[in-house]
Amino acid sequence: MYNTILPYGNRLYGHSITVVNRSEVVGRPLAALLANDGASVYSVDVDGVQQFTRGEGIKKRRHEVVEKEAWALEDCLPLSDVVITGVPGKAFKIPTNLLKEGAVCINFSTDKNFGPEVKDRASIYVPAIGKVTIIVLLRNLLVWAAQ
């Protein structure tokens, strides 16, 4: 998935990723980061879908954001090589039948956003991020705030 042969900024070129939850803390920055590395990113939230890309080709340095009118989560999932979720709610579950066969599925929410059947469809499933990851994120936030 992450092509180390390509130069930095293009290593995700040609891949589609869906990030569910466009929060200012993780969702939006993650979508921008992935788009800046060449991926086409669908950012899904209750307000709709935005597509983060670097535009045509691999020459642009910075991502662009386009509103995808009349799109919903159901339109993004079948196109996505990677699905990353962070919806804080036990009731929200990704519809497994819409996932692309062999997709990489990552849950960064404290609640499980994928049902147990995701293991049969995903090539890689990460059910939760670790406490060390959370500590590093908090440390980075404190460093940023101090600057």
Side-chain angles (χ1 to χ4, degrees), residues 10-21:
N10 294 322
R11 293 189 170 182
L12 289 172
Y13 184 74
H15 292 288
S16 293
I17 300 172
T18 295
V19 177
V20 183
N21 184 348

Side-chain angles (χ1 to χ4, degrees), residues 66-77:
V66 176
E67 291 287 336
K68 299 296 280 184
E69 299 295 328
W71 274 53
L73 178 64
E74 293 76 18
D75 299 305
C76 305
L77 292 177

Side-chain angles (χ1 to χ4, degrees), residues 18 20-21 30 51 61 67 74-75 88 98 112-113 147:
T18 295
V20 183
N21 184 348
L30 180 60
Q51 184 178 20
R61 297 273 182 223
E67 291 287 336
E74 293 76 18
D75 299 305
L98 294 177
K112 302 279 188 233
N113 292 157
Q147 295 177 354

Side-chain angles (χ1 to χ4, degrees), residues 110-126:
T110 54
D111 296 305
K112 302 279 188 233
N113 292 157
F114 294 96
E117 64 280 359
V118 73
K119 295 174 187 173
D120 298 328
R121 192 150 183 109
S123 60
I124 298 172
Y125 171 53
V126 180

Side-chain angles (χ1 to χ4, degrees), residues 30-88:
L30 180 60
L33 176 83
L34 295 168
N36 283 336
D37 209 13
S40 176
V41 182
Y42 299 103
S43 177
V44 182
D45 208 343
V46 293
D47 298 326
V49 176
Q50 293 179 340
Q51 184 178 20
F52 288 63
T53 65
R54 283 218 331 257
E56 293 296 319
I58 59 176
K59 299 278 185 196
K60 286 194 172 181
R61 297 273 182 223
R62 194 166 189 283
H63 70 276
E64 300 173 344
V65 181
V66 176
E67 291 287 336
K68 299 296 280 184
E69 299 295 328
W71 274 53
L73 178 64
E74 293 76 18
D75 299 305
C76 305
L77 292 177
L79 305 174
S80 298
D81 303 308
V82 179
V83 178
I84 303 170
T85 64
V87 179

